[in-house]
Amino acid sequence: MWIFRRKNGYKFIILIVLIFNMSYITKVSASNDPINIDKDTMKAEVERIYNIRSACLVSGDFSALKDEFDTSQKYGRYTLEHEIKRVKYLRDWTKQRGIQLKNIESTVRIKNIKTSGNVVKISLEESYKFDYAYEDDKDDVLNSFGVGIRHSASLTKKNDKWVIYNDWYTDCFEDALQAYTVDMKEISDLPKVTLPRERILSTSTSHKKNYDREKAVAYADKYCGAAWGSTNNFKYNPKYMDFNGSGGDCTNYISQVLGDKEAGGLRQDGSWYCHMHKYQRGSGSRAWTNADGLKNYLVYSGKGKVIKAGTFKELTTPSSDSSEAPISKLNLGDLICYEKGIGNIDHFAVVTGFDSHGYPLINSHTTDRYHVPWDLGWGDKKIRFFLIRING
C-alpha cells in the first residue's frame, strides 16, 4: 500500500482499503455459506436430471442435456460428451434391431452425501427401467429390462439450479461407445436380427438332474443387484464376497448361479469351488471368480460346451447347413462370455429369458443387468462372444 503524507489523501486511501477488505470478507463469507444438502431434495434433483437424460435416450435428441451440466469446467464437459455418445449409440442400436423405445425411467438411492466448497458429492445407486417394442409387431407387445449402476456424482448450483459437476460410473454401454469419436462419429449399420418368436426350451430330467435351469434363473433374478427387477431389495447374496471395485463381480455371480444350492446346483470340485467361512463371506477359487478361469474350467471339465464363438454378425446369421442362427440355440441358464481382444475373456452373463421376438435376455453383475438384450452395450468390431451350453 502506498502511503502519502498529505493528510486528506492518507485518510482517503485508508478508507478505500477498508471498503475493499469488507467487500472481500463479504464475498468469502458468501462463498462459504452452508449448502442445503437435504437428502430428499438432492435425491429429487438427481432423479430430475437423470430422467431428462432418460427422455433424451428415448427420443434420440440430446439438445435438452446441455442445460443440466456445468460445462464451465472440464469434468462437466467430459460428462456431457459421454451422455451425448450414449444417446447416439442407443439411437443406432434400436434402429439396427428394429426396436422402438417406449419409456426409460430412472430412480436413485443415495448412499452417502457430503459437501466440498460449493459442490455436493453423492454416492448413489441408479436403477433404470427400459420399456421397448418391436416396430413390426402389430400388437405392440411391451418388453422391459433393468440396469443397475453405481455412481460417484457431484452437483453444483448455476443460476440457482442444480447441475451435474461430474459423474463417474461403470456404464452399461461403455464398450460400444468406443466406436464413437469425440465428434460423435456414427457407427456403421448392422443387420437386423430375425429369431423365432417361440422358444422350445429343454427341460428334460437329464438336465435337471445336475443343473436346475429354472432355479438358476430364479437365483439370477433374485440377486441381480441394483437393477430394476431385483427381488432382493437391490442386494447381492450376502453369503458371498462382492468383487465390485476389485476386478468386478460378474464371474463370481455366474458361479453362484451355476453352483449355489439355491440355484443351479452344479457340483463343486477341487478346481471350481467357494469356501464358506464362519464369520465372513465366501471366497472362491480362480475358476470361480476369474472369467478366463471359469470359461476354461467349464469347457475342459465337460460341464459346458461352446456352441459357437464369433462376432455379433456371425452369431446372428444362419449357417449354410442350418436355418437357425447360432444365437437361437441358447436355452435358459446357458451362458454368454464376452471376449475383448483375442484370448481376453472380460465378462460373463447368464440367459434368463427371451423377449417377444425370441431375442435372448441376460443377467449379470458389476454393471447389474436384469433381462437385458444380450448384446446391448457391446461393440461388434473388437468383441467376440462365446455361447456356452451348460451340460449339467
Side-chain angles (χ1 to χ4, degrees):
M1 179 180 69
W2 290 97
I3 301 176
F4 294 93
R5 296 293 182 181
R6 292 196 300 271
K7 184 176 181 181
N8 290 339
Y10 180 83
K11 288 183 177 179
F12 176 75
I13 290 173
I14 293 297
L15 179 61
I16 292 296
V17 171
L18 288 174
I19 291 172
F20 173 79
N21 285 341
M22 289 300 294
S23 173
Y24 174 77
I25 291 169
T26 301
K27 288 181 180 179
V28 171
S29 176
S31 67
N32 289 329
D33 283 345
I35 299 175
N36 180 12
I37 58 168
D38 174 75
K39 190 173 182 179
D40 291 336
T41 299
M42 297 312 301
K43 178 181 184 296
E45 287 296 322
V46 173
E47 285 187 343
R48 176 188 65 79
I49 296 171
Y50 283 1
N51 279 301
I52 290 173
R53 180 200 58 194
S54 294
C56 292
L57 289 171
V58 172
S59 69
D61 179 3
F62 48 78
S63 58
L65 287 175
K66 65 181 183 298
D67 295 328
E68 306 305 323
F69 295 83
D70 176 15
T71 56
S72 67
Q73 44 79 31
K74 63 180 180 180
Y75 301 113
R77 291 192 296 272
Y78 171 81
T79 306
L80 174 58
E81 288 176 0
H82 183 82
E83 297 301 337
I84 291 173
K85 289 181 181 181
R86 298 174 90 235
V87 173
K88 293 173 76 70
Y89 163 70
L90 196 57
R91 183 178 64 192
D92 288 341
W93 183 86
T94 54
K95 180 182 178 181
Q96 292 155 8
R97 305 298 182 263
I99 283 172
Q100 183 179 3
L101 289 171
K102 296 295 186 179
N103 186 56
I104 302 176
E105 184 178 358
S106 177
T107 58
V108 304
R109 294 173 296 281
I110 292 179
K111 299 298 184 179
N112 188 39
I113 185 169
K114 62 182 180 179
T115 61
S116 178
N118 63 345
V119 174
V120 177
K121 297 183 176 181
I122 306 173
S123 294
L124 63 94
E125 288 181 348
E126 176 188 15
S127 294
Y128 270 134
K129 182 189 177 190
F130 292 69
D131 298 323
Y132 70 94
Y134 283 90
E135 293 173 350
D136 60 355
D137 268 355
K138 294 180 180 179
D139 298 330
D140 203 26
V141 178
L142 193 67
N143 300 277
S144 299
F145 66 87
V147 175
I149 298 175
R150 295 162 185 82
H151 294 252
S152 178
S154 298
L155 276 70
T156 190
K157 269 196 171 180
K158 292 287 184 180
N159 300 320
D160 294 323
K161 175 185 174 181
W162 287 107
V163 294
I164 296 290
Y165 183 87
N166 61 40
D167 195 359
W168 308 108
Y169 57 93
T170 303
D171 188 5
C172 56
F173 305 145
E174 185 66 39
D175 285 276
L177 298 189
Q178 305 307 310
Y180 290 84
T181 60
V182 175
D183 62 358
M184 317 307 169
K185 181 180 178 182
E186 301 288 348
I187 61 174
S188 59
D189 285 341
L190 294 172
K192 291 184 180 180
V193 182
T194 301
L195 292 172
R197 301 282 182 107
E198 296 181 0
R199 301 290 304 186
I200 301 175
L201 304 178
S202 174
T203 56
S204 66
T205 55
S206 62
H207 278 242
K208 285 190 174 182
K209 183 177 180 180
N210 295 315
Y211 181 53
D212 193 315
R213 295 176 181 273
E214 289 77 14
K215 284 187 176 181
V217 170
Y219 182 98
D221 287 348
K222 181 177 181 179
Y223 296 114
C224 66
W228 172 87
S230 169
T231 57
N232 191 49
N233 196 29
F234 307 107
K235 305 292 186 183
Y236 291 174
N237 190 335
K239 293 194 308 183
Y240 294 96
M241 294 282 289
D242 175 359
F243 292 98
N244 278 300
S246 57
D249 197 63
C250 63
T251 308
N252 180 43
Y253 169 65
I254 295 302
S255 287
Q256 295 171 40
V257 170
L258 296 175
D260 191 276
K261 292 180 180 179
E262 182 186 342
L266 278 183
R267 182 175 296 177
Q268 299 178 34
D269 56 31
S271 298
W272 179 69
Y273 60 85
C274 185
H275 286 316
M276 291 300 173
H277 307 286
K278 187 174 182 180
Y279 297 111
Q280 60 187 18
R281 296 180 177 186
S283 56
S285 63
R286 183 180 185 277
W288 185 279
T289 60
N290 176 270
D292 280 305
L294 177 60
K295 181 255 183 183
N296 292 333
Y297 168 79
L298 290 173
V299 172
Y300 293 120
S301 69
K303 290 180 179 177
K305 177 183 178 181
V306 177
I307 298 172
K308 179 77 173 178
T311 64
F312 174 84
K313 185 175 181 179
E314 291 169 339
L315 298 182
T316 56
T317 302
S319 62
S320 58
D321 59 347
S322 173
S323 60
E324 277 192 335
I327 194 68
S328 297
K329 298 179 181 179
L330 288 172
N331 282 322
L332 292 174
D334 286 337
L335 306 181
I336 302 176
C337 56
Y338 302 72
E339 183 186 58
K340 295 171 63 174
I342 301 299
N344 178 24
I345 303 299
D346 182 71
H347 184 65
F348 256 103
V350 57
V351 177
T352 50
F354 303 91
D355 72 9
S356 61
H357 272 218
Y359 206 71
L361 308 175
I362 56 89
N363 285 23
S364 69
H365 270 191
T366 304
T367 297
D368 298 339
R369 294 172 173 88
Y370 170 85
H371 291 218
V372 175
W374 68 277
D375 68 298
L376 180 62
W378 296 89
D380 189 53
K381 292 183 178 180
K382 296 182 180 179
I383 300 294
R384 287 205 317 156
F385 308 89
F386 285 74
L387 312 182
I388 298 181
R389 167 67 47 75
I390 299 302
N391 294 323

